[in-house]
């Protein structure tokens, strides 16, 4: 055995040490524990994958029976195949870099008046534990444990600054929206168990492949759609995407690790893992593709008008996740996972770079209060520029390779999806470089005194910059070919050239609007004031949800559950019983006054009543 259990156990040990003893440990010990546990996990992943190379078959380690009841037989098993290998390297590798960065970014949380430093890293290590459980799981139920665990950690870390109402509200919003998706996922698991008699991946997929007609097509479609509901919640797809932009209330390293590079890609991973089921349902794949494309376009248009630098990158994350689902729905699973990897590189860099900017100017996040920073924080500018050209799809950088693999697959699936994807790619390049130009060009519009971040923060940024520039040459689609044979489109130079041109056009327009002639953007916003207002207010989706769902539930709960069920029925019954007991006790209390003469009177009165009753009974008889 290759001791796969050590991969998640090491971060869990870091969580226990910092969670239990962190308050009394010096800052250096907390940092060493948090970073060292994740680094050791990464090294163990590398060692394990080298030993298992070339991973032609799934490697499984069985630990113990978990649930045995009737037809349900679930074991606690870990498994590694090529898909797992890619995810393990991304999670532990990027996780290590972000942990190192966080020791500098969160340094202000340590001290006699701040107890957040050890708590932050305990939560971050716990997240790594659950994310690795999710990736290593050999069955749906164990995957669901990791799935729920990363949701818990997301809630804890979004609301890390719990004294801020906005952070608390954002944490609750993420928790509630994810519960909706997780309910769909759990129903999908129940249907898998009923129809395939197992939750083990190998067992379910082998049965599905051996006899596709054994389960009705409608049932398979329903299973896949329910799994997609879960994926939409975790990976922020329409209509369950609304929690992710608000999740930026958490510290910036959280945004980079959980809400850009790892947890939000769990839905993509789960759908790719379930490819043998989705391949049996063309309808479900169409739904995945449409949801992904709608999400990509919708989030990209919103990103055009935002001024909070983290919100711009948050909507970029939602849009890029939409690209990944477009790939999955087009049958190009390997392209989707390829984009998961490259996106982890450049999006983690964008968020951490944004954190470096925020750190440099005293916590400011409004792009309108920045400007001219490229000379004041040149390292941060350089690495963010690397991330920007990568996400814009400029060749030969990483985003170019994975984005064009998705667009080619979309063209092969439905040509019109390719054209919509190309327009979205142009918008992506525009709003990312809009943020770059507003932040680093022109004159500084803020009040702080900008300063470059320390090496502990800029060092990981440099590594991520190199990965963002060159990561596209890690040929993930070819590596995943045994798992997803034929799941990629043929290369087409014309289509590639068109998508590249769209990205370059977006960059050129951003340069024109925000560097050459800054007044153009404001003039367009005034001319198209109504569309601009709609985009700036994010299509009023949050307001619509509040009006259609939140307020009716809250008002209904107030009127029915509280005022009638709680106050009148429950409280009425409890208080009524208490009042009745008090009234009876009050009556009986008068008989226990402590006065002997009164007791004698009661005895005489009782005797008279008894004698009278007996006499009456005798006479009547």
């Amino acid at each position: 055995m290759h001791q796969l259990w050590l991969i998640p156990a090491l971060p869990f040990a870091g969580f226990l040490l910092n969670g239990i003893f962190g308050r009394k440990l010096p800052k250096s010990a907390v940092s060493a524990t948090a970073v060292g546990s994740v680094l050791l996990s990464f090294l163990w992943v590398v060692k394990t994958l080298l030993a298992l190379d070339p991973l032609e078959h799934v490697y499984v380690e069985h630990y113990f029976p978990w649930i045995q009841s009737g037809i349900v037989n679930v074991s606690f098993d870990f498994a590694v195949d090529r898909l797992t290998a890619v995810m393990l390297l991304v999670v532990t590798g990027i996780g290590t870099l972000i942990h190192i960065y966080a020791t500098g970014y969160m340094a202000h949380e340590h001290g006699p008046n701040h107890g957040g430093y050890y708590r932050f890293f305990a939560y971050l290590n716990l997240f790594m534990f659950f994310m690795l459980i999710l990736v290593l799981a050999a069955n749906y139920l164990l995957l669901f444990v990791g799935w729920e665990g990363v949701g818990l950690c997301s809630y804890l870390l979004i609301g890390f600054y719990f004294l801020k109402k906005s952070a608390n509200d954002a944490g609750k919003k993420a928790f509630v929206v994810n519960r909706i998706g997780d309910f769909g996922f759990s129903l999908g698991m129940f249907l898998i168990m009923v129809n395939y008699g197992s939750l083990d991946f190998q067992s379910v997929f082998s049965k599905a492949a051996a006899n596709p007609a054994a389960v009705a097509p409608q049932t398979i479609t329903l299973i896949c759609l329910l799994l997609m509901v879960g994926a939409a919640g975790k990976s922020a797809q329409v209509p369950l995407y609304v929690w992710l932009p608000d999740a930026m209330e958490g510290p910036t390293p959280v945004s980079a690790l959980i809400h850009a590079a790892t947890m939000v890609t769990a839905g993509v991973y789960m759908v790719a893992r379930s490819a043998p089921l989705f391949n049996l349902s063309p309808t479900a794949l169409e739904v995945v593709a449409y949801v992904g494309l709608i999400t990509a376009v919708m989030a990209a248009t919103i990103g055009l008008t935002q001024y909070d630098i983290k919100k711009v990158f948050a909507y970029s994350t939602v849009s890029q996740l939409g690209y990944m689902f477009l790939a999955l729905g087009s049958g190009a699973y390997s392209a989707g996972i390829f984009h998961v990897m490259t996106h982890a590189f450049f999006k983690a860099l964008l968020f951490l770079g944004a954190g470096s900017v925020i750190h440099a100017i005293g916590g400011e996040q409004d792009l309108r209060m920045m400007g001219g920073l490229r000379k004041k924080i040149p390292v941060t500018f350089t690495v963010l520029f690397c991330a920007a050209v990568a996400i814009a799809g400029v060749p030969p950088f990483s985003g170019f390779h994975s984005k064009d693999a998705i667009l080619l697959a979309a063209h092969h699936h439905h040509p019109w999806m390719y054209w919509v994807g190309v327009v979205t790619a142009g918008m992506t390049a525009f709003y990312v470089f809009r943020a770059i130009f507003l932040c680093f060009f022109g004159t500084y519009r803020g009040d702080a005194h900008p300063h470059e971040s320390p090496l502990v923060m800029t060092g990981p940024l440099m590594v991520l910059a190199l990965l963002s520039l060159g990561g596209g040459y890690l040929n993930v689609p070819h590596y995943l070919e045994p798992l997803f044979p034929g799941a990629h489109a043929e290369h087409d130079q014309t289509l590639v050239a068109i998508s590249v041109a769209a990205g370059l056009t977006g960059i050129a327009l951003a340069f024109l609007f925000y560097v050459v002639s800054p007044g153009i953007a404001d003039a367009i916003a005034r001319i198209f004031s109504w569309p601009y207002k709609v985009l700036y207010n994010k299509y009023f989706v949050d307001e619509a949800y509040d009006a259609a769902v939140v307020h009716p539930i809250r008002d209904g709960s107030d009127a029915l559950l509280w005022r009638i069920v709680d106050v009148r029925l429950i409280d009425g019954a409890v208080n009524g019983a208490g009042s009745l007991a008090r009234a009876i006790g009050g009556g009986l209390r008068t008989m226990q006054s402590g006065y002997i003469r009164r007791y004698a009177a009661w005895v005489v009165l009782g005797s008279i009543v008894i004698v009278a009753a007996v006499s009456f009974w005798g006479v009547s008889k």
Side-chain angles (χ1 to χ4, degrees):
M1 295 179 66
H2 291 277
Q3 310 302 332
L4 296 178
W5 63 271
L6 276 173
I7 297 172
L10 288 165
F12 188 69
F15 158 71
L16 291 177
L17 289 172
N18 278 336
I20 297 173
F21 306 108
R23 184 182 293 273
K24 298 180 180 180
L25 292 175
K27 177 184 173 183
S28 58
V30 173
S31 303
T33 300
V35 175
S37 63
V38 180
L39 176 60
L40 288 173
S41 182
F42 170 71
L43 295 175
W44 194 259
V45 166
V46 173
K47 178 259 182 191
T48 302
L49 294 181
L50 289 175
L52 293 174
D53 188 68
L55 262 179
E56 297 295 342
H57 305 286
V58 179
Y59 170 73
V60 180
E61 285 188 358
H62 172 73
Y63 297 112
F64 53 86
W66 185 14
I67 300 175
Q68 291 180 314
S69 176
I71 65 169
V72 180
N73 187 357
V74 181
S75 297
F76 197 99
D77 298 344
F78 286 161
V80 175
D81 61 5
R82 295 191 173 199
L83 176 57
T84 309
V86 173
M87 293 298 295
L88 285 175
L89 288 171
V90 169
V91 172
T92 57
I94 302 297
T96 300
L97 293 174
I98 294 175
H99 273 71
I100 295 171
Y101 173 97
T103 61
Y105 188 87
M106 300 298 292
H108 64 282
E109 289 293 333
H110 183 78
N113 298 322
H114 299 278
Y117 192 79
Y118 79 93
R119 180 168 58 88
F120 175 81
F121 281 104
Y123 290 164
L124 217 57
N125 277 175
L126 184 64
F127 165 79
M128 293 295 296
F129 165 72
F130 280 121
M131 188 67 199
L132 292 169
I133 290 287
L134 187 158
V135 171
L136 285 166
N139 57 69
Y140 279 106
L141 191 58
L142 188 55
L143 184 151
F144 193 68
V145 170
W147 188 276
E148 291 296 279
V150 294
L152 166 66
C153 295
S154 179
Y155 167 76
L156 294 173
L157 286 162
I158 292 171
F160 177 77
Y161 298 120
F162 53 82
L163 295 179
K164 289 175 58 181
K165 183 179 184 301
S166 58
N168 279 316
D169 289 344
K172 289 184 288 187
K173 186 176 184 179
F175 186 84
V176 171
V177 173
N178 272 273
R179 295 294 70 71
I180 298 171
D182 296 350
F183 180 67
F185 188 7
S186 61
L187 291 179
M189 285 196 299
F190 293 150
L191 282 177
I192 291 173
M193 186 72 229
V194 169
N195 288 277
Y196 291 100
S198 175
L199 290 174
D200 182 79
F201 293 142
Q202 288 184 289
S203 177
V204 172
F205 300 155
S206 61
K207 289 178 181 178
N211 190 3
V215 178
Q218 299 91 333
T219 303
I220 295 177
T221 297
L222 181 58
I223 290 171
C224 293
L225 290 179
L226 288 170
L227 294 180
M228 179 56 193
V229 170
K234 195 66 70 185
S235 294
Q237 297 297 286
V238 169
L240 301 179
Y241 72 94
V242 291
W243 67 271
L244 182 56
D246 288 10
M248 299 304 107
E249 288 289 338
T252 299
V254 175
S255 304
L257 179 61
I258 296 183
H259 305 122
T262 55
M263 187 195 86
V264 291
T265 61
V268 181
Y269 166 76
M270 187 265 285
V271 173
R273 174 62 69 201
S274 305
L277 295 179
F278 279 86
N279 287 336
L280 298 177
S281 176
T283 301
L285 283 178
E286 283 294 304
V287 170
V288 173
Y290 274 89
V291 168
L293 189 62
I294 292 170
T295 303
V297 175
M298 189 172 181
T301 55
I302 295 173
L304 296 173
T305 60
Q306 302 305 302
Y307 282 100
D308 184 317
I309 188 170
K310 288 178 66 176
K311 286 286 182 71
V312 173
F313 297 153
Y315 280 105
S316 170
T317 297
V318 176
S319 183
Q320 296 302 305
L321 289 167
Y323 263 109
M324 298 173 202
F325 278 96
L326 173 61
L328 300 177
S330 302
Y333 301 101
S334 55
I337 298 300
F338 189 20
H339 204 56
V340 166
M341 183 192 73
T342 59
H343 177 264
F345 297 155
F346 57 69
K347 186 52 63 64
L349 180 54
L350 282 172
F351 272 115
L352 295 185
S356 183
V357 172
I358 295 167
H359 179 270
I361 56 176
E364 181 61 64
Q365 295 183 201
D366 192 331
L367 288 164
R368 291 167 292 192
M369 299 301 293
M370 299 180 190
L373 294 177
R374 70 182 187 277
K375 295 180 180 179
K376 301 179 184 297
I377 46 174
V379 175
T380 300
F381 164 69
T382 302
V383 296
L384 268 177
F385 192 84
C386 293
V389 295
I391 192 175
V394 175
F397 308 123
S398 62
F400 161 75
H401 297 274
S402 57
K403 180 205 69 177
D404 277 83
I406 293 172
L407 291 176
L408 290 173
H411 187 272
H412 184 263
H413 187 62
H414 289 307
W416 67 269
M417 286 187 167
Y418 163 83
W419 292 105
V420 175
V422 165
V423 174
T424 305
M427 288 191 289
T428 300
F430 176 85
Y431 65 69
V432 170
F433 271 89
R434 168 181 175 268
I436 295 295
F437 294 142
L438 282 173
C439 180
F440 293 104
F441 287 73
T443 57
Y444 181 56
R445 300 176 290 274
D447 300 323
H449 299 284
H451 59 280
E452 189 61 89
S453 299
L455 182 61
V456 72
M457 293 171 62
T458 57
L461 296 181
M462 296 176 195
V463 176
L464 286 169
L466 293 175
L467 292 172
S468 298
L469 297 177
Y473 292 100
L474 300 172
N475 198 344
V476 170
H478 176 73
Y479 180 71
L480 295 175
E481 180 73 19
L483 284 179
F484 310 115
H488 61 276
E490 294 298 324
H491 193 73
D492 187 310
Q493 291 286 0
T494 302
L495 297 178
V496 171
I498 291 172
S499 67
V500 170
L504 294 176
T505 301
I507 297 172
L509 287 175
F511 186 75
L512 174 65
F513 288 3
Y514 296 99
V515 178
V516 178
S517 300
I520 294 178
D522 293 334
I524 292 176
R526 286 192 298 270
I527 294 171
F528 299 98
S529 59
W530 186 81
Y532 179 85
K533 182 179 179 181
V534 171
L535 296 181
Y536 183 76
N537 289 281
K538 300 159 283 189
Y539 293 102
F540 297 98
V541 171
D542 284 307
E543 290 79 0
Y545 282 1
D546 284 343
V549 180
V550 177
H551 293 312
I553 291 177
R554 187 174 61 195
D555 294 343
S557 299
D558 179 76
L560 177 63
L561 297 178
W562 176 45
R563 298 186 184 277
I564 296 178
V565 176
D566 193 3
V567 175
R568 295 190 180 181
L569 295 181
I570 299 175
D571 288 354
V574 173
N575 295 337
S579 299
L580 179 61
R582 187 166 56 247
I584 295 173
L588 295 175
R589 184 177 59 190
T590 60
M591 300 175 63
Q592 297 290 331
S593 64
Y595 294 103
I596 296 177
R597 290 181 180 179
R598 185 172 293 181
Y599 291 162
W602 280 112
V603 169
V604 171
L605 179 61
S607 300
I608 293 171
V609 171
I610 294 172
V611 170
V614 171
S615 300
F616 177 78
W617 180 76
V619 171
S620 63
K621 187 175 179 181

